[in-house]
Amino acid sequence: MKRPLVCVPVLLAALLAALATGCGVGAAGPVPAGAPASGLQAGTVARYARLYFVGRYGIQTVPREVDAATSPQQALDLLRKGPDTAERARILITEVPRLHGRAIARAAEGAVDPHLPLPVAQMSGGGLGLGLGLGPGPGPGQIVCTVASADVPGDRQPPDVDVRVYEAGFSTAWTVRCDAGGDVVPVPNR
């Protein structure tokens, strides 16, 4: 009967020794592993305006860091300034011509109304660059996609934003959208 009593303390000692060696802390204590974790501070969010410039393979989306959400007018103003130094180094250009007069982009629920101070036919070759034989110029497409990608009321994604283009010399607008690939597509009459 004495034998089981001797085994219990030995088994407990062995169990405690096994547990102590498996805890991951050696006899030397914790080992320094470098600088503490770093990165974004809590609550910070980088904001980007999505501008559309022309590159080697057509119109390309270019994210540009901004301080706050960008309205369609602010995005249009950034586009009209053209590519910055880093964007030019990537061989990006704009086909939006220098506009004499102010181009205005008014936001509405799920839509943007850009008012252009000249007819689209006079902008960069006279077409939307749709790939449908309507003209080679991507300038108007840059405008359409840039304003559709701005902060538009109504929580629509850019491909679902109606862009009603008003051009100088015409009394009515025509409605298009910028699809997910950056192409301008007409919106059928409803």
Side-chain angles (χ1 to χ4, degrees):
M1 299 282 280
K2 288 185 176 184
R3 195 171 181 137
L5 291 178
V6 173
C7 288
V8 171
V10 171
L11 288 175
L12 279 174
L15 180 63
L16 288 174
L19 290 175
T21 58
C23 73
V25 178
V31 177
S38 64
L40 291 175
Q41 299 296 320
T44 61
V45 176
R47 295 188 186 270
Y48 295 90
R50 292 176 65 197
L51 307 178
Y52 286 76
F53 290 116
V54 180
R56 292 181 179 115
Y57 305 106
I59 294 179
Q60 297 179 16
T61 307
V62 178
R64 187 179 293 173
E65 193 166 353
V66 293
D67 294 330
T70 308
S71 73
Q73 182 65 54
Q74 292 166 323
L76 181 57
D77 291 343
L78 287 171
L79 177 68
R80 289 187 63 194
K81 289 179 183 177
D84 64 19
T85 304
E87 293 157 353
R88 284 191 303 275
R90 292 174 28 213
I91 320 291
L92 296 172
I93 63 169
T94 183
E95 289 289 331
V96 176
R98 297 219 183 269
L99 302 175
H100 301 289
R102 179 148 167 87
I104 298 169
R106 293 191 176 106
E109 187 75 19
V112 179
D113 297 335
H115 295 262
L116 306 178
L118 74 156
V120 168
Q122 295 177 14
M123 294 181 72
S124 118
L128 284 172
L130 301 176
L132 302 174
L134 299 176
Q142 286 181 259
I143 292 172
V144 167
C145 290
T146 294
V147 299
S149 297
D151 190 22
V152 177
D155 292 330
R156 288 188 183 181
Q157 293 297 311
D160 299 322
V161 172
D162 289 337
V163 180
R164 300 178 296 239
V165 180
Y166 292 86
E167 48 187 320
F170 295 89
S171 59
T172 59
W174 39 277
T175 304
V176 292
R177 289 185 176 165
C178 178
D179 71 11
D183 295 317
V184 176
V185 294
V187 174
N189 294 335
R190 298 172 207 199

